[in-house]
């Protein structure tokens, strides 16, 4: 048995007991009320989900198991996976054990490569990724055991098995998508002696500044790994998983949400915007030129990508992590200089406009500039990189949800008529 599974086996009974006690002893207590505004406004702020992997505070951002994300940026992504699942960082032996678990599960079945070959050449990479993740479900151990008759207590174990299989394969299929879709040459096979994040970086085929590139990709994988469970992708995966669909179906459904421009696709949109500005001015514009340009965009009713957030009300610490990286490592890169400039200008413009509740940059405002610097210039690919990282959090949430024995998700909807009658009482 892997050390991770052994650790979880020792923790799950207690977790289950805590959840059972909450239901038994406090089941009828109220923790949140729902206003009409919330019903009409995407359920913003309604406390109705349980998620232990991470929490997001509106005035401090992402905290993973009690540790602020800025304190985790130098950790390995697989160590953060362990942290999300168990609540503790692994020791060296545990970290190595998880690494070799993942390395032993990287082989991708042949039918996946046939599917990759069959896509029309201009298919969006997210379309490819979510299809290939669903297709990997052919090998789901959970589905196989469930069909044979699996006790509910053991659901989490096979969900963990599927999760580790899927997480191990994500960088392999994601890098293959990159190589194939953008004509980069042969697919690069993983190196068994590299850690998970560096392996992904290696398989993309970047050839220069490898140490820096590996470090950047590890950090990228850490900062994008989770954002509690109410965001579109995690929530979708949770709902699908609650029907006992396997992890492959659940993650691919979540990735379909991540592919939306208001969510994960925003990183593509951000760099597109930066490149458009550079192209328009033929250089990094002066502050006033940029201010006028951005204001015109807002006046046209368009959003400034990378700014605003449904939950946060401060600068996203994940943006801060990328900004600090850029300042230290690539301060003179044109794209990065634009990131810094936009940060100086956009918040004031959004405050002046008075619409956005959060005028500050989110995670997507800076990462594209960093990827671009190291040669990943195909912006349509950026959300795939986000997805590889987010698989860590979404899979962890699914494992813990099964460990808690959560039931199928089924909130109640009401009709517009009902709502009108109810408020006029
Ligand atoms: N530029 C211009 N207007 C903005 C804005 C921005 N960056 N952010 C919000 N607004 C506007 C909204 O469009 C909305 O306008 P209307 O009332 O005319 O519809 C108004 O401000 C109120 O919106 P909000 O309540 O502040 O924001 P929401 O919670 O509805 O939406 C979004 C949050 C992130 C979707 C939003 O801020 C946005 O569209 N930002 C730009 C796209 C982006 O960066 N998305 C990535 C988010 C991070 C993420 O999930 N990554 O995966």
């Amino acid at each position: 048995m892997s050390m991770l599974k052994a650790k979880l086996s020792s923790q799950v009974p207690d977790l289950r007991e805590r959840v059972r006690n909450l239901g038994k002893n406090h089941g009828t207590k109220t923790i949140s009320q729902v206003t009409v505004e919330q019903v009409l406004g995407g359920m913003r702020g309604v406390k109705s989900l349980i998620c232990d992997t991470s929490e997001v505070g509106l005035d401090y951002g992402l905290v993973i198991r009690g540790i602020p994300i800025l304190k985790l940026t130098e950790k390995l992504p697989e160590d953060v996976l362990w942290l999300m699942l168990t609540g503790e960082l692994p020791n060296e032996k545990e970290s190595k054990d998880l690494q070799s678990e993942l390395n032993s599960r990287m082989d991708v079945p042949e039918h996946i490569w046939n599917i990759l070959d069959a896509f029309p050449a201009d298919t969006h990479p997210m379309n490819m990724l979510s299809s290939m993740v669903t297709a990997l479900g052919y090998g789901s151990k959970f589905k196989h055991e469930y069909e044979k008759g699996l006790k509910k207590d053991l659901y989490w174990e096979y969900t963990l098995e599927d999760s580790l299989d899927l997480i191990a394969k994500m960088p392999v299929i994601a890098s293959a998508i990159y190589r194939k879709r953008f004509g980069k040459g042969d697919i690069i096979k993983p190196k068994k002696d590299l850690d998970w994040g560096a392996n992904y970086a290696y398989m993309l085929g970047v050839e220069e500044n490898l140490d820096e590139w590996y470090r950047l990709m590890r950090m990228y994988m850490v900062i994008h790994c989770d954002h509690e469970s109410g965001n579109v992708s995690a929530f979708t995966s949770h709902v699908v998983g609650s029907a006992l669909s396997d992890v492959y179906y659940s993650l691919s459904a979540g990735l379909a949400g991540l592919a939306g421009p208001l969510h994960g696709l925003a990183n593509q949109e951000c760099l597109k915007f930066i490149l458009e500005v550079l192209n328009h001015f033929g250089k990094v514009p002066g502050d006033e030129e940029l201010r006028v340009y951005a204001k015109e965009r807002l006046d046209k009713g368009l959003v400034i990508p990378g700014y605003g957030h449904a939950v946060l009300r401060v600068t996203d610490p994940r943006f801060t992590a990328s900004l600090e990286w850029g300042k230290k490592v690539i301060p003179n890169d044109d794209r990065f200089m634009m990131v810094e400039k936009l940060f100086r200008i956009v918040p004031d413009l959004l405050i002046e406009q008075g619409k956005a509740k959060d005028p500050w940059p989110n995670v997507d405002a800076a990462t594209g500039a960093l990827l671009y610097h190291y040669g990943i210039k195909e912006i349509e690919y950026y959300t795939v990189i986000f997805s590889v990282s987010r698989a860590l959090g979404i899979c962890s949430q699914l494992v813990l949800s099964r460990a808690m024995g959560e039931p199928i998700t089924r909130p109640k909807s009401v009709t517009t008529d009902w709502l009108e009658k109810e408020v006029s009482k």
Side-chain angles (χ1 to χ4, degrees), residues 322-360:
S322 303
L323 187 75
E324 291 309 315
W325 171 283
K327 278 186 190 166
K328 227 186 285 166
V329 188
I330 55 164
N332 299 320
D333 179 286
D334 280 2
R335 270 80 34 191
F336 179 70
M337 284 160 74
M338 280 294 304
V339 168
E340 283 195 298
K341 234 177 223 297
L342 286 165
F343 184 35
R344 275 205 302 277
I345 288 166
V346 172
D348 283 346
L349 281 178
L350 288 175
I351 291 168
E352 205 178 288
Q353 191 198 34
K355 282 206 313 188
K357 293 192 189 71
D358 171 39
W360 305 108

mmCIF file of all heavy atoms in Angstrom, residues 322-360:
data_model
loop_
_atom_site.group_PDB
_atom_site.id
_atom_site.type_symbol
_atom_site.label_atom_id
_atom_site.label_comp_id
_atom_site.label_asym_id
_atom_site.label_seq_id
_atom_site.Cartn_x
_atom_site.Cartn_y
_atom_site.Cartn_z
ATOM 1 N N SER A 322 3.329 35.396 -8.811
ATOM 2 C CA SER A 322 3.828 35.514 -10.189
ATOM 3 C C SER A 322 4.554 36.846 -10.384
ATOM 4 O O SER A 322 5.583 36.920 -11.064
ATOM 5 C CB SER A 322 2.676 35.434 -11.188
ATOM 6 O OG SER A 322 1.971 34.250 -11.016
ATOM 7 N N LEU A 323 3.997 37.895 -9.790
ATOM 8 C CA LEU A 323 4.610 39.225 -9.912
ATOM 9 C C LEU A 323 6.021 39.218 -9.314
ATOM 10 O O LEU A 323 6.971 39.724 -9.905
ATOM 11 C CB LEU A 323 3.731 40.252 -9.198
ATOM 12 C CG LEU A 323 4.131 41.697 -9.361
ATOM 13 C CD1 LEU A 323 3.770 42.212 -10.753
ATOM 14 C CD2 LEU A 323 3.451 42.590 -8.315
ATOM 15 N N GLU A 324 6.132 38.624 -8.133
ATOM 16 C CA GLU A 324 7.441 38.579 -7.473
ATOM 17 C C GLU A 324 8.435 37.777 -8.312
ATOM 18 O O GLU A 324 9.598 38.132 -8.426
ATOM 19 C CB GLU A 324 7.322 37.958 -6.067
ATOM 20 C CG GLU A 324 6.562 38.837 -5.067
ATOM 21 C CD GLU A 324 7.095 40.263 -5.026
ATOM 22 O OE1 GLU A 324 8.320 40.443 -4.982
ATOM 23 O OE2 GLU A 324 6.278 41.218 -5.069
ATOM 24 N N TRP A 325 7.964 36.679 -8.888
ATOM 25 C CA TRP A 325 8.829 35.872 -9.755
ATOM 26 C C TRP A 325 9.338 36.740 -10.918
ATOM 27 O O TRP A 325 10.527 36.796 -11.203
ATOM 28 C CB TRP A 325 8.054 34.659 -10.292
ATOM 29 C CG TRP A 325 8.831 33.936 -11.350
ATOM 30 C CD1 TRP A 325 8.984 34.316 -12.644
ATOM 31 C CD2 TRP A 325 9.623 32.760 -11.181
ATOM 32 N NE1 TRP A 325 9.801 33.449 -13.310
ATOM 33 C CE2 TRP A 325 10.209 32.485 -12.433
ATOM 34 C CE3 TRP A 325 9.873 31.917 -10.107
ATOM 35 C CZ2 TRP A 325 11.034 31.396 -12.643
ATOM 36 C CZ3 TRP A 325 10.692 30.829 -10.317
ATOM 37 C CH2 TRP A 325 11.270 30.570 -11.558
ATOM 38 N N GLY A 326 8.386 37.412 -11.569
ATOM 39 C CA GLY A 326 8.741 38.235 -12.726
ATOM 40 C C GLY A 326 9.730 39.331 -12.365
ATOM 41 O O GLY A 326 10.707 39.565 -13.077
ATOM 42 N N LYS A 327 9.490 39.991 -11.223
ATOM 43 C CA LYS A 327 10.377 41.091 -10.808
ATOM 44 C C LYS A 327 11.797 40.590 -10.616
ATOM 45 O O LYS A 327 12.769 41.253 -10.923
ATOM 46 C CB LYS A 327 9.878 41.678 -9.486
ATOM 47 C CG LYS A 327 8.769 42.676 -9.643
ATOM 48 C CD LYS A 327 8.505 43.274 -8.274
ATOM 49 C CE LYS A 327 7.283 44.115 -8.222
ATOM 50 N NZ LYS A 327 6.860 44.414 -6.869
ATOM 51 N N LYS A 328 11.895 39.378 -10.045
ATOM 52 C CA LYS A 328 13.213 38.829 -9.732
ATOM 53 C C LYS A 328 13.903 38.285 -10.982
ATOM 54 O O LYS A 328 15.082 38.490 -11.204
ATOM 55 C CB LYS A 328 13.041 37.688 -8.716
ATOM 56 C CG LYS A 328 14.008 37.769 -7.548
ATOM 57 C CD LYS A 328 13.934 36.584 -6.635
ATOM 58 C CE LYS A 328 12.692 36.602 -5.756
ATOM 59 N NZ LYS A 328 12.436 35.329 -5.104
ATOM 60 N N VAL A 329 13.136 37.594 -11.831
ATOM 61 C CA VAL A 329 13.779 36.801 -12.880
ATOM 62 C C VAL A 329 13.701 37.431 -14.273
ATOM 63 O O VAL A 329 14.644 37.325 -15.049
ATOM 64 C CB VAL A 329 13.181 35.360 -12.892
ATOM 65 C CG1 VAL A 329 13.952 34.458 -13.834
ATOM 66 C CG2 VAL A 329 13.170 34.759 -11.494
ATOM 67 N N ILE A 330 12.581 38.077 -14.620
ATOM 68 C CA ILE A 330 12.470 38.622 -15.989
ATOM 69 C C ILE A 330 11.962 40.071 -15.982
ATOM 70 O O ILE A 330 11.021 40.416 -16.701
ATOM 71 C CB ILE A 330 11.545 37.730 -16.862
ATOM 72 C CG1 ILE A 330 10.139 37.533 -16.221
ATOM 73 C CG2 ILE A 330 12.154 36.391 -17.148
ATOM 74 C CD1 ILE A 330 9.088 37.015 -17.198
ATOM 75 N N PRO A 331 12.612 40.947 -15.184
ATOM 76 C CA PRO A 331 12.067 42.309 -15.023
ATOM 77 C C PRO A 331 11.994 43.108 -16.320
ATOM 78 O O PRO A 331 11.175 44.017 -16.431
ATOM 79 C CB PRO A 331 13.021 42.957 -14.026
ATOM 80 C CG PRO A 331 14.277 42.165 -14.108
ATOM 81 C CD PRO A 331 13.879 40.775 -14.465
ATOM 82 N N ASN A 332 12.855 42.779 -17.306
ATOM 83 C CA ASN A 332 12.879 43.611 -18.517
ATOM 84 C C ASN A 332 12.097 43.036 -19.685
ATOM 85 O O ASN A 332 12.197 43.537 -20.810
ATOM 86 C CB ASN A 332 14.338 43.861 -18.941
ATOM 87 C CG ASN A 332 15.077 44.607 -17.843
ATOM 88 O OD1 ASN A 332 14.510 45.515 -17.224
ATOM 89 N ND2 ASN A 332 16.296 44.180 -17.547
ATOM 90 N N ASP A 333 11.361 41.977 -19.429
ATOM 91 C CA ASP A 333 10.558 41.376 -20.489
ATOM 92 C C ASP A 333 9.356 42.292 -20.781
ATOM 93 O O ASP A 333 8.661 42.733 -19.856
ATOM 94 C CB ASP A 333 10.087 39.994 -19.987
ATOM 95 C CG ASP A 333 9.215 39.279 -20.987
ATOM 96 O OD1 ASP A 333 8.042 39.681 -21.148
ATOM 97 O OD2 ASP A 333 9.699 38.312 -21.593
ATOM 98 N N ASP A 334 9.108 42.579 -22.057
ATOM 99 C CA ASP A 334 8.026 43.523 -22.418
ATOM 100 C C ASP A 334 6.666 43.106 -21.866
ATOM 101 O O ASP A 334 5.906 43.929 -21.358
ATOM 102 C CB ASP A 334 7.899 43.632 -23.943
ATOM 103 C CG ASP A 334 8.946 44.549 -24.521
ATOM 104 O OD1 ASP A 334 9.784 45.070 -23.741
ATOM 105 O OD2 ASP A 334 8.938 44.742 -25.758
ATOM 106 N N ARG A 335 6.369 41.802 -22.017
ATOM 107 C CA ARG A 335 5.052 41.338 -21.534
ATOM 108 C C ARG A 335 4.953 41.519 -20.027
ATOM 109 O O ARG A 335 3.945 41.949 -19.490
ATOM 110 C CB ARG A 335 4.811 39.863 -21.887
ATOM 111 C CG ARG A 335 4.152 39.580 -23.196
ATOM 112 C CD ARG A 335 5.007 39.626 -24.402
ATOM 113 N NE ARG A 335 6.359 39.173 -24.184
ATOM 114 C CZ ARG A 335 7.360 39.300 -25.043
ATOM 115 N NH1 ARG A 335 7.157 39.912 -26.189
ATOM 116 N NH2 ARG A 335 8.570 38.864 -24.770
ATOM 117 N N PHE A 336 6.057 41.202 -19.342
ATOM 118 C CA PHE A 336 6.010 41.346 -17.891
ATOM 119 C C PHE A 336 5.907 42.820 -17.484
ATOM 120 O O PHE A 336 5.188 43.179 -16.531
ATOM 121 C CB PHE A 336 7.219 40.671 -17.224
ATOM 122 C CG PHE A 336 7.167 40.837 -15.746
ATOM 123 C CD1 PHE A 336 6.206 40.165 -15.005
ATOM 124 C CD2 PHE A 336 7.995 41.729 -15.083
ATOM 125 C CE1 PHE A 336 6.078 40.360 -13.634
ATOM 126 C CE2 PHE A 336 7.883 41.936 -13.712
ATOM 127 C CZ PHE A 336 6.933 41.247 -12.996
ATOM 128 N N MET A 337 6.599 43.693 -18.228
ATOM 129 C CA MET A 337 6.494 45.129 -17.912
ATOM 130 C C MET A 337 5.044 45.603 -18.058
ATOM 131 O O MET A 337 4.560 46.454 -17.304
ATOM 132 C CB MET A 337 7.440 45.941 -18.804
ATOM 133 C CG MET A 337 8.883 45.812 -18.342
ATOM 134 S SD MET A 337 10.068 46.227 -19.608
ATOM 135 C CE MET A 337 9.951 47.972 -19.684
ATOM 136 N N MET A 338 4.333 45.021 -19.027
ATOM 137 C CA MET A 338 2.906 45.357 -19.200
ATOM 138 C C MET A 338 2.087 44.903 -17.990
ATOM 139 O O MET A 338 1.159 45.592 -17.563
ATOM 140 C CB MET A 338 2.367 44.661 -20.463
ATOM 141 C CG MET A 338 2.710 45.350 -21.755
ATOM 142 S SD MET A 338 1.901 46.953 -21.886
ATOM 143 C CE MET A 338 0.207 46.486 -21.683
ATOM 144 N N VAL A 339 2.429 43.724 -17.468
ATOM 145 C CA VAL A 339 1.707 43.217 -16.285
ATOM 146 C C VAL A 339 1.855 44.215 -15.142
ATOM 147 O O VAL A 339 0.879 44.597 -14.483
ATOM 148 C CB VAL A 339 2.270 41.829 -15.859
ATOM 149 C CG1 VAL A 339 1.747 41.426 -14.486
ATOM 150 C CG2 VAL A 339 1.939 40.767 -16.897
ATOM 151 N N GLU A 340 3.094 44.674 -14.941
ATOM 152 C CA GLU A 340 3.340 45.638 -13.851
ATOM 153 C C GLU A 340 2.596 46.950 -14.083
ATOM 154 O O GLU A 340 2.012 47.526 -13.176
ATOM 155 C CB GLU A 340 4.834 45.930 -13.766
ATOM 156 C CG GLU A 340 5.627 44.826 -13.102
ATOM 157 C CD GLU A 340 7.009 45.318 -12.728
ATOM 158 O OE1 GLU A 340 7.759 45.692 -13.645
ATOM 159 O OE2 GLU A 340 7.341 45.306 -11.517
ATOM 160 N N LYS A 341 2.625 47.397 -15.336
ATOM 161 C CA LYS A 341 1.976 48.670 -15.682
ATOM 162 C C LYS A 341 0.462 48.577 -15.480
ATOM 163 O O LYS A 341 -0.170 49.479 -14.927
ATOM 164 C CB LYS A 341 2.272 49.002 -17.138
ATOM 165 C CG LYS A 341 2.875 50.364 -17.329
ATOM 166 C CD LYS A 341 3.207 50.591 -18.776
ATOM 167 C CE LYS A 341 4.557 51.245 -18.953
ATOM 168 N NZ LYS A 341 4.714 52.551 -18.395
ATOM 169 N N LEU A 342 -0.122 47.475 -15.950
ATOM 170 C CA LEU A 342 -1.572 47.311 -15.801
ATOM 171 C C LEU A 342 -1.948 47.303 -14.323
ATOM 172 O O LEU A 342 -2.972 47.859 -13.922
ATOM 173 C CB LEU A 342 -2.036 46.013 -16.479
ATOM 174 C CG LEU A 342 -2.061 46.063 -18.015
ATOM 175 C CD1 LEU A 342 -2.170 44.657 -18.614
ATOM 176 C CD2 LEU A 342 -3.227 46.930 -18.516
ATOM 177 N N PHE A 343 -1.101 46.695 -13.517
ATOM 178 C CA PHE A 343 -1.361 46.641 -12.076
ATOM 179 C C PHE A 343 -1.372 48.046 -11.473
ATOM 180 O O PHE A 343 -2.112 48.359 -10.545
ATOM 181 C CB PHE A 343 -0.296 45.752 -11.425
ATOM 182 C CG PHE A 343 -0.493 45.517 -9.954
ATOM 183 C CD1 PHE A 343 -1.761 45.409 -9.391
ATOM 184 C CD2 PHE A 343 0.608 45.368 -9.105
ATOM 185 C CE1 PHE A 343 -1.939 45.173 -8.034
ATOM 186 C CE2 PHE A 343 0.441 45.138 -7.750
ATOM 187 C CZ PHE A 343 -0.838 45.045 -7.214
ATOM 188 N N ARG A 344 -0.547 48.936 -12.046
ATOM 189 C CA ARG A 344 -0.510 50.325 -11.544
ATOM 190 C C ARG A 344 -1.746 51.105 -11.994
ATOM 191 O O ARG A 344 -2.178 52.033 -11.326
ATOM 192 C CB ARG A 344 0.735 51.037 -12.084
ATOM 193 C CG ARG A 344 1.983 50.826 -11.271
ATOM 194 C CD ARG A 344 2.982 51.971 -11.468
ATOM 195 N NE ARG A 344 3.381 52.180 -12.836
ATOM 196 C CZ ARG A 344 4.345 51.490 -13.448
ATOM 197 N NH1 ARG A 344 4.989 50.542 -12.798
ATOM 198 N NH2 ARG A 344 4.667 51.744 -14.704
ATOM 199 N N ILE A 345 -2.320 50.713 -13.153
ATOM 200 C CA ILE A 345 -3.347 51.559 -13.775
ATOM 201 C C ILE A 345 -4.778 51.040 -13.648
ATOM 202 O O ILE A 345 -5.712 51.796 -13.363
ATOM 203 C CB ILE A 345 -2.966 51.758 -15.269
ATOM 204 C CG1 ILE A 345 -1.761 52.695 -15.322
ATOM 205 C CG2 ILE A 345 -4.115 52.303 -16.100
ATOM 206 C CD1 ILE A 345 -1.079 52.732 -16.634
ATOM 207 N N VAL A 346 -4.961 49.733 -13.843
ATOM 208 C CA VAL A 346 -6.333 49.203 -13.958
ATOM 209 C C VAL A 346 -7.163 49.330 -12.674
ATOM 210 O O VAL A 346 -8.339 49.715 -12.746
ATOM 211 C CB VAL A 346 -6.306 47.746 -14.477
ATOM 212 C CG1 VAL A 346 -7.690 47.111 -14.411
ATOM 213 C CG2 VAL A 346 -5.771 47.712 -15.903
ATOM 214 N N PRO A 347 -6.619 49.014 -11.484
ATOM 215 C CA PRO A 347 -7.484 49.093 -10.303
ATOM 216 C C PRO A 347 -8.166 50.456 -10.146
ATOM 217 O O PRO A 347 -9.374 50.524 -9.899
ATOM 218 C CB PRO A 347 -6.533 48.788 -9.138
ATOM 219 C CG PRO A 347 -5.484 47.912 -9.748
ATOM 220 C CD PRO A 347 -5.302 48.448 -11.136
ATOM 221 N N ASP A 348 -7.415 51.549 -10.375
ATOM 222 C CA ASP A 348 -8.019 52.892 -10.248
ATOM 223 C C ASP A 348 -9.134 53.087 -11.266
ATOM 224 O O ASP A 348 -10.173 53.685 -10.967
ATOM 225 C CB ASP A 348 -6.963 53.985 -10.448
ATOM 226 C CG ASP A 348 -6.104 54.144 -9.204
ATOM 227 O OD1 ASP A 348 -6.508 53.599 -8.150
ATOM 228 O OD2 ASP A 348 -5.032 54.774 -9.294
ATOM 229 N N LEU A 349 -8.896 52.582 -12.492
ATOM 230 C CA LEU A 349 -9.926 52.728 -13.533
ATOM 231 C C LEU A 349 -11.197 51.975 -13.158
ATOM 232 O O LEU A 349 -12.307 52.467 -13.355
ATOM 233 C CB LEU A 349 -9.408 52.170 -14.864
ATOM 234 C CG LEU A 349 -8.469 53.061 -15.669
ATOM 235 C CD1 LEU A 349 -8.027 52.328 -16.929
ATOM 236 C CD2 LEU A 349 -9.170 54.374 -16.042
ATOM 237 N N LEU A 350 -11.012 50.758 -12.619
ATOM 238 C CA LEU A 350 -12.194 49.969 -12.241
ATOM 239 C C LEU A 350 -12.925 50.612 -11.064
ATOM 240 O O LEU A 350 -14.157 50.630 -11.023
ATOM 241 C CB LEU A 350 -11.799 48.523 -11.912
ATOM 242 C CG LEU A 350 -11.395 47.664 -13.122
ATOM 243 C CD1 LEU A 350 -10.900 46.290 -12.662
ATOM 244 C CD2 LEU A 350 -12.549 47.498 -14.109
ATOM 245 N N ILE A 351 -12.145 51.180 -10.147
ATOM 246 C CA ILE A 351 -12.787 51.871 -9.002
ATOM 247 C C ILE A 351 -13.588 53.071 -9.524
ATOM 248 O O ILE A 351 -14.727 53.291 -9.157
ATOM 249 C CB ILE A 351 -11.722 52.303 -7.960
ATOM 250 C CG1 ILE A 351 -11.137 51.056 -7.274
ATOM 251 C CG2 ILE A 351 -12.322 53.258 -6.915
ATOM 252 C CD1 ILE A 351 -9.893 51.296 -6.440
ATOM 253 N N GLU A 352 -12.933 53.792 -10.436
ATOM 254 C CA GLU A 352 -13.595 54.972 -11.033
ATOM 255 C C GLU A 352 -14.878 54.562 -11.758
ATOM 256 O O GLU A 352 -15.921 55.207 -11.639
ATOM 257 C CB GLU A 352 -12.615 55.556 -12.061
ATOM 258 C CG GLU A 352 -12.746 57.008 -12.391
ATOM 259 C CD GLU A 352 -11.635 57.358 -13.386
ATOM 260 O OE1 GLU A 352 -10.446 57.409 -12.977
ATOM 261 O OE2 GLU A 352 -11.949 57.535 -14.561
ATOM 262 N N GLN A 353 -14.835 53.455 -12.470
ATOM 263 C CA GLN A 353 -16.017 52.995 -13.215
ATOM 264 C C GLN A 353 -17.128 52.553 -12.261
ATOM 265 O O GLN A 353 -18.315 52.676 -12.553
ATOM 266 C CB GLN A 353 -15.641 51.832 -14.149
ATOM 267 C CG GLN A 353 -16.753 51.500 -15.132
ATOM 268 C CD GLN A 353 -16.597 50.124 -15.754
ATOM 269 O OE1 GLN A 353 -16.117 49.189 -15.119
ATOM 270 N NE2 GLN A 353 -17.011 49.997 -16.998
ATOM 271 N N GLY A 354 -16.698 52.018 -11.103
ATOM 272 C CA GLY A 354 -17.647 51.721 -10.035
ATOM 273 C C GLY A 354 -18.524 50.489 -10.215
ATOM 274 O O GLY A 354 -19.529 50.358 -9.538
ATOM 275 N N LYS A 355 -18.143 49.606 -11.123
ATOM 276 C CA LYS A 355 -18.977 48.408 -11.309
ATOM 277 C C LYS A 355 -18.368 47.179 -10.627
ATOM 278 O O LYS A 355 -19.027 46.493 -9.854
ATOM 279 C CB LYS A 355 -19.159 48.127 -12.808
ATOM 280 C CG LYS A 355 -20.192 49.026 -13.443
ATOM 281 C CD LYS A 355 -20.867 48.445 -14.680
ATOM 282 C CE LYS A 355 -19.944 47.820 -15.695
ATOM 283 N NZ LYS A 355 -20.623 47.444 -16.944
ATOM 284 N N ALA A 356 -17.125 46.894 -10.942
ATOM 285 C CA ALA A 356 -16.489 45.671 -10.424
ATOM 286 C C ALA A 356 -16.393 45.737 -8.899
ATOM 287 O O ALA A 356 -15.927 46.737 -8.349
ATOM 288 C CB ALA A 356 -15.101 45.517 -11.023
ATOM 289 N N LYS A 357 -16.828 44.666 -8.234
ATOM 290 C CA LYS A 357 -16.734 44.666 -6.763
ATOM 291 C C LYS A 357 -15.289 44.488 -6.321
ATOM 292 O O LYS A 357 -14.908 44.882 -5.238
ATOM 293 C CB LYS A 357 -17.609 43.551 -6.197
ATOM 294 C CG LYS A 357 -19.095 43.815 -6.425
ATOM 295 C CD LYS A 357 -19.961 42.864 -5.609
ATOM 296 C CE LYS A 357 -21.414 42.999 -6.024
ATOM 297 N NZ LYS A 357 -21.668 42.438 -7.374
ATOM 298 N N ASP A 358 -14.501 43.846 -7.184
ATOM 299 C CA ASP A 358 -13.091 43.644 -6.856
ATOM 300 C C ASP A 358 -12.246 44.243 -7.981
ATOM 301 O O ASP A 358 -12.214 43.695 -9.084
ATOM 302 C CB ASP A 358 -12.814 42.134 -6.734
ATOM 303 C CG ASP A 358 -11.342 41.841 -6.615
ATOM 304 O OD1 ASP A 358 -10.631 42.608 -5.923
ATOM 305 O OD2 ASP A 358 -10.876 40.847 -7.211
ATOM 306 N N PRO A 359 -11.581 45.358 -7.749
ATOM 307 C CA PRO A 359 -10.813 45.989 -8.828
ATOM 308 C C PRO A 359 -9.385 45.442 -8.951
ATOM 309 O O PRO A 359 -8.596 45.952 -9.729
ATOM 310 C CB PRO A 359 -10.772 47.455 -8.379
ATOM 311 C CG PRO A 359 -10.784 47.383 -6.887
ATOM 312 C CD PRO A 359 -11.576 46.160 -6.506
ATOM 313 N N TRP A 360 -9.069 44.409 -8.194
ATOM 314 C CA TRP A 360 -7.668 43.956 -8.093
ATOM 315 C C TRP A 360 -7.365 42.788 -9.035
ATOM 316 O O TRP A 360 -8.267 42.077 -9.458
ATOM 317 C CB TRP A 360 -7.348 43.574 -6.637
ATOM 318 C CG TRP A 360 -7.663 44.698 -5.703
ATOM 319 C CD1 TRP A 360 -8.693 44.778 -4.816
ATOM 320 C CD2 TRP A 360 -6.979 45.953 -5.617
ATOM 321 N NE1 TRP A 360 -8.687 45.997 -4.172
ATOM 322 C CE2 TRP A 360 -7.655 46.740 -4.644
ATOM 323 C CE3 TRP A 360 -5.875 46.508 -6.271
ATOM 324 C CZ2 TRP A 360 -7.240 48.025 -4.314
ATOM 325 C CZ3 TRP A 360 -5.456 47.787 -5.939
ATOM 326 C CH2 TRP A 360 -6.142 48.529 -4.964
#
